[in-house]
Amino acid sequence: ASARLGARRTPDLAIQNIHAVFNGDWIPKVESIALSRVTLRVAFDGEKFSFGTLQRLVNGYTSSAPQAAPVSIAQGATRVVVSDAKVLAFTPAGVLSFAGSGVLSGSRVERFLGTIGRANLRSQGFAVLLSGGDFNARSAGNGLDLHLTANGRGLLYSRIRASEVRAALDVKG
Protein backbone atom coordinates (compact mmCIF):
# COMPACT_ATOMS: atom_id res chain seq x y z
CA ALA A 1 0.00 0.00 0.00
CA SER A 2 1.00 3.65 -0.32
CA ALA A 3 -0.25 6.96 1.10
CA ARG A 4 -0.16 10.66 0.24
CA LEU A 5 -1.45 13.48 2.47
CA GLY A 6 -1.57 17.11 1.38
CA ALA A 7 -1.31 18.81 -2.01
CA ARG A 8 -1.24 16.58 -5.08
CA ARG A 9 2.15 17.75 -6.42
CA THR A 10 3.85 18.46 -3.10
CA PRO A 11 2.24 16.32 -0.39
CA ASP A 12 3.12 16.99 3.25
CA LEU A 13 3.64 13.24 3.68
CA ALA A 14 4.19 10.62 0.99
CA ILE A 15 4.86 6.95 1.74
CA GLN A 16 5.53 4.81 -1.28
CA ASN A 17 5.49 1.41 0.47
CA ILE A 18 3.58 0.41 3.61
CA HIS A 19 3.77 -3.16 4.88
CA ALA A 20 1.99 -4.27 8.06
CA VAL A 21 2.53 -7.57 9.90
CA PHE A 22 -0.38 -8.90 11.99
CA ASN A 23 -0.36 -11.56 14.69
CA GLY A 24 -2.41 -14.73 14.21
CA ASP A 25 -5.12 -13.94 16.79
CA TRP A 26 -8.84 -14.14 16.00
CA ILE A 27 -8.94 -10.35 16.15
CA PRO A 28 -5.57 -9.50 14.60
CA LYS A 29 -3.26 -6.91 16.13
CA VAL A 30 -0.59 -5.03 14.20
CA GLU A 31 2.80 -6.31 15.39
CA SER A 32 5.00 -4.21 13.13
CA ILE A 33 4.86 -1.75 10.26
CA ALA A 34 7.52 -1.15 7.61
CA LEU A 35 7.53 2.18 5.77
CA SER A 36 9.86 2.84 2.86
CA ARG A 37 10.51 5.74 0.52
CA VAL A 38 8.95 8.24 2.90
CA THR A 39 8.99 12.02 2.27
CA LEU A 40 7.88 14.49 4.94
CA ARG A 41 7.69 18.24 4.31
CA VAL A 42 7.81 20.61 7.28
CA ALA A 43 8.13 24.37 7.61
CA PHE A 44 10.07 26.28 10.26
CA ASP A 45 9.36 30.01 10.58
CA GLY A 46 12.24 30.71 12.95
CA GLU A 47 10.15 29.99 16.05
CA LYS A 48 8.02 26.90 15.49
CA PHE A 49 7.55 23.97 13.14
CA SER A 50 4.47 23.52 10.98
CA PHE A 51 3.43 20.17 9.54
CA GLY A 52 0.81 21.46 7.08
CA THR A 53 -2.16 19.10 6.75
CA LEU A 54 -0.62 16.88 9.45
CA GLN A 55 -0.63 19.67 12.09
CA ARG A 56 -3.86 18.56 13.81
CA LEU A 57 -2.56 14.99 14.04
CA VAL A 58 0.78 16.20 15.44
CA ASN A 59 -0.96 18.49 17.95
CA GLY A 60 -3.25 15.65 19.08
CA TYR A 61 -0.33 13.26 19.48
CA THR A 62 1.94 15.68 21.36
CA SER A 63 -0.85 16.91 23.67
CA SER A 64 -1.90 13.37 24.61
CA ALA A 65 1.58 11.84 24.81
CA PRO A 66 2.04 10.03 28.13
CA GLN A 67 4.33 11.68 30.64
CA ALA A 68 4.95 8.45 32.55
CA ALA A 69 7.66 5.90 31.94
CA PRO A 70 8.01 4.91 28.27
CA VAL A 71 6.28 1.81 26.91
CA SER A 72 8.62 -1.08 26.26
CA ILE A 73 8.41 -3.36 23.24
CA ALA A 74 7.40 -6.22 25.54
CA GLN A 75 4.34 -4.22 26.68
CA GLY A 76 2.94 -4.26 23.16
CA ALA A 77 4.21 -1.10 21.47
CA THR A 78 3.91 -1.34 17.69
CA ARG A 79 7.32 -1.41 16.05
CA VAL A 80 7.71 0.84 13.00
CA VAL A 81 10.72 0.38 10.73
CA VAL A 82 11.38 3.37 8.46
CA SER A 83 13.79 3.09 5.54
CA ASP A 84 14.81 5.48 2.79
CA ALA A 85 13.13 8.44 4.50
CA LYS A 86 13.57 12.08 3.54
CA VAL A 87 12.59 15.21 5.46
CA LEU A 88 12.52 18.56 3.67
CA ALA A 89 12.55 21.47 6.12
CA PHE A 90 11.58 24.83 4.61
CA THR A 91 13.11 27.69 6.64
CA PRO A 92 13.45 31.46 6.13
CA ALA A 93 17.14 30.84 5.28
CA GLY A 94 16.51 28.07 2.73
CA VAL A 95 15.64 24.39 2.46
CA LEU A 96 17.37 21.74 4.58
CA SER A 97 17.16 18.07 3.63
CA PHE A 98 17.66 15.06 5.86
CA ALA A 99 17.72 11.43 4.71
CA GLY A 100 17.86 8.36 6.90
CA SER A 101 16.42 5.21 8.38
CA GLY A 102 15.34 4.13 11.82
CA VAL A 103 13.17 2.14 14.16
CA LEU A 104 10.37 3.45 16.37
CA SER A 105 8.56 1.53 19.12
CA GLY A 106 5.40 3.27 20.16
CA SER A 107 6.46 6.84 20.95
CA ARG A 108 10.12 5.88 21.48
CA VAL A 109 12.93 6.23 18.97
CA GLU A 110 15.05 3.05 19.18
CA ARG A 111 17.45 4.55 16.68
CA PHE A 112 17.31 6.93 13.74
CA LEU A 113 20.36 7.88 11.74
CA GLY A 114 21.13 9.50 8.46
CA THR A 115 22.68 12.33 6.52
CA ILE A 116 22.15 16.04 6.06
CA GLY A 117 22.08 17.20 2.45
CA ARG A 118 23.79 20.12 0.77
CA ALA A 119 22.11 23.49 1.17
CA ASN A 120 22.73 27.15 0.49
CA LEU A 121 21.33 28.95 3.53
CA ARG A 122 21.02 32.74 3.61
CA SER A 123 19.30 35.23 5.86
CA GLN A 124 20.05 38.74 7.07
CA GLY A 125 23.63 38.76 8.40
CA PHE A 126 24.14 35.03 7.82
CA ALA A 127 25.12 32.78 4.93
CA VAL A 128 26.60 29.29 4.71
CA LEU A 129 27.04 26.73 1.99
CA LEU A 130 26.27 23.51 3.84
CA SER A 131 28.20 20.65 2.26
CA GLY A 132 26.55 17.89 4.29
CA GLY A 133 26.61 16.16 7.63
CA ASP A 134 25.12 13.35 9.64
CA PHE A 135 22.84 12.77 12.60
CA ASN A 136 21.74 10.05 14.96
CA ALA A 137 18.98 10.02 17.54
CA ARG A 138 17.50 7.69 20.13
CA SER A 139 15.10 8.01 23.04
CA ALA A 140 16.59 8.36 26.49
CA GLY A 141 14.32 8.40 29.53
CA ASN A 142 11.47 10.77 28.69
CA GLY A 143 13.56 12.71 26.17
CA LEU A 144 15.68 12.32 23.08
CA ASP A 145 19.44 12.14 22.64
CA LEU A 146 20.49 13.74 19.36
CA HIS A 147 23.97 14.05 17.85
CA LEU A 148 24.34 16.20 14.77
CA THR A 149 27.47 17.07 12.77
CA ALA A 150 27.42 19.54 9.87
CA ASN A 151 30.13 20.66 7.46
CA GLY A 152 30.07 23.97 5.66
CA ARG A 153 31.98 26.21 3.31
CA GLY A 154 31.95 29.97 3.04
CA LEU A 155 30.37 30.85 6.39
CA LEU A 156 29.45 34.48 6.89
CA TYR A 157 27.96 35.56 10.22
CA SER A 158 27.91 39.24 11.13
CA ARG A 159 31.61 40.16 10.68
CA ILE A 160 32.93 36.62 11.02
CA ARG A 161 34.04 34.82 7.86
CA ALA A 162 35.31 31.27 7.51
CA SER A 163 36.15 29.17 4.48
CA GLU A 164 35.65 25.77 6.19
CA VAL A 165 33.33 25.02 9.10
CA ARG A 166 32.56 21.85 11.04
CA ALA A 167 29.93 22.09 13.76
CA ALA A 168 28.74 19.43 16.19
CA LEU A 169 25.67 19.51 18.39
CA ASP A 170 24.79 17.09 21.18
CA VAL A 171 21.37 17.39 22.77
CA LYS A 172 20.50 15.19 25.75
CA GLY A 173 16.95 14.79 27.05
Side-chain angles (χ1 to χ4, degrees):
S2 64
R4 294 172 66 88
L5 300 171
R8 177 176 283 196
R9 288 189 169 177
T10 56
D12 297 318
L13 175 65
I15 306 170
Q16 203 155 30
N17 295 306
I18 303 169
H19 179 79
V21 175
F22 297 89
N23 66 8
D25 293 346
W26 178 253
I27 299 175
K29 178 181 178 260
V30 176
E31 288 186 345
S32 66
I33 300 171
L35 308 174
S36 63
R37 293 169 65 195
V38 178
T39 301
L40 174 66
R41 295 173 189 274
V42 299
F44 180 70
D45 65 7
E47 294 182 21
K48 63 182 182 342
F49 284 96
S50 170
F51 293 86
T53 55
L54 301 169
Q55 192 64 50
R56 287 191 328 177
L57 178 65
V58 170
N59 290 349
Y61 181 77
T62 56
S63 68
S64 65
Q67 300 300 317
V71 177
S72 73
I73 297 171
Q75 291 174 314
T78 301
R79 189 165 199 214
V80 179
V81 178
V82 180
S83 61
D84 193 17
K86 180 191 267 186
V87 175
L88 298 173
F90 297 86
T91 75
V95 180
L96 288 166
S97 64
F98 302 87
S101 299
V103 178
L104 311 169
S105 291
S107 61
R108 299 195 39 85
V109 177
E110 283 185 31
R111 69 179 175 284
F112 213 96
L113 38 103
T115 60
I116 303 166
R118 294 175 181 243
N120 188 358
L121 304 175
R122 295 181 179 277
S123 66
Q124 188 173 3
F126 171 82
V128 66
L129 179 58
L130 189 62
S131 57
D134 57 66
F135 66 90
N136 65 59
R138 69 181 61 245
S139 291
N142 286 332
L144 184 73
D145 285 352
L146 171 68
H147 176 77
L148 181 131
T149 303
N151 304 307
R153 296 200 166 131
L155 173 70
L156 171 64
Y157 178 70
S158 192
R159 295 182 184 193
I160 300 170
R161 292 179 184 263
S163 60
E164 295 287 330
V165 177
R166 180 171 173 88
L169 174 69
D170 279 311
V171 178
K172 305 274 186 201

